[in-house]
Amino acid sequence: MSLDLFPDTLAPPGLTYLPGFALGEEADLVRAVMALAEAAPFRRMKTPGGKEMSAAMTNCGAAGWVSDAKGYRYARQDPLSGGAWPEMPDLFRDLAMRGAAAGGFTGFVPDMALINRYEPGAKMTLHQDIDERDFSAPIVSVSLGLPAVFLWGGLNRTEKPARLPLTSGDVLVWGGAARKFFHGIAPVKPGVHELTGAARLNLTFRQAL
Ligand code: MD3
Ligand code: FE
């Protein structure tokens, strides 16, 4: 689809924006996040460079994205517990599959979800998602809670990023060329959301392994 959100020159092939696609499901999704965070708590991981990331993270499914002094990778065990990550809730998988299909990726079945929690002031600097095995699979992202400004940097890091507002219930499908674009999140503004409190949650569904 083409997006009024994006200037024409930046409208990335392979991106589908589904505003409000998860609106009726937000409360159930947030409840499921809180339940799985009891087994695998949100934690602020360290980058290989030794800095603590400002967003807190957890995972569910067959593997989790982890970062530490040794680097970034997908790990089948939660380093905090030494055991498996919580199973992916059915409502997560269902939503991701419906979103992917709406974006033209029929048959996408995520094997994991990375869950980011941003408290006010937290951000994510521009990066690419390139730790997954197969880039022909899309990534489906779901925003919940406080709004945020998504930064869209194109295919090279030095491009000045476009700024795009995301609100609770928005779903985006990143496939094709868009899959390897640089992206990030501007510092989240202070606020309180009825479902998440002073936080933004983002679920990214991936086929990682
Ligand atoms: C574009 N998360 O977890 S979601 C991440 O809001 C991440 O927490 C941000 O970037 C967040 O890696 C942005 C949107 C997103 C997710 C994955 C992408 C955009 C993407 C992968 C490729 C291109
Ligand atoms: Fe990312």
Side-chain angles (χ1 to χ4, degrees):
M1 69 176 291
S2 83
L3 296 170
D4 345 335
L5 267 180
F6 290 90
D8 272 357
T9 51
L10 277 179
L15 170 59
T16 302
Y17 177 43
L18 303 168
F21 191 80
L23 271 183
E25 301 166 64
E26 294 164 282
D28 288 339
L29 292 166
V30 171
R31 252 194 302 277
V33 169
M34 294 192 317
L36 73 87
E38 303 218 346
F42 283 100
R43 79 293 303 264
R44 291 174 60 192
M45 299 185 193
K46 282 198 173 150
T47 64
K51 288 191 198 153
E52 207 167 70
M53 299 175 81
S54 61
M57 299 177 175
T58 188
N59 294 278
C60 64
W65 186 86
V66 298
S67 177
D68 60 21
K70 290 186 288 183
Y72 312 124
R73 64 197 173 278
Y74 283 96
R76 290 179 182 272
Q77 276 88 33
D78 179 348
L80 281 185
S81 68
W85 297 96
E87 276 188 38
M88 187 183 300
D90 288 339
L91 79 161
F92 280 21
R93 189 181 306 95
D94 289 355
L95 172 60
M97 291 175 65
R98 281 185 279 118
F105 290 89
T106 306
F108 171 69
V109 182
D111 58 13
M112 61 80 63
L114 167 62
I115 305 162
N116 298 143
R117 188 186 68 204
Y118 300 79
E119 292 179 358
K123 63 184 169 59
M124 192 170 289
T125 54
L126 284 184
H127 67 278
Q128 291 173 297
D129 288 18
I130 50 174
D131 298 322
E132 298 74 28
R133 186 185 293 265
D134 177 5
F135 300 123
S136 69
I139 291 180
V140 177
S141 79
V142 181
S143 293
L144 298 167
L146 290 180
V149 173
F150 179 72
L151 305 171
W152 181 252
L155 272 176
N156 71 72
R157 194 191 290 279
T158 56
E159 265 173 68
K160 187 170 187 273
R163 298 170 63 89
L164 311 156
L166 291 179
T167 60
S168 192
D170 285 354
V171 173
L172 290 133
V173 182
W174 315 85
R179 177 69 180 72
K180 285 196 185 171
F181 272 41
F182 280 91
H183 59 277
I185 293 287
V188 169
K189 294 221 166 72
V192 177
H193 187 278
E194 57 174 348
L195 293 176
T196 58
R200 169 176 186 263
L201 297 174
N202 182 263
L203 318 184
T204 51
F205 294 97
R206 302 152 186 257
Q207 188 197 111
L209 299 179

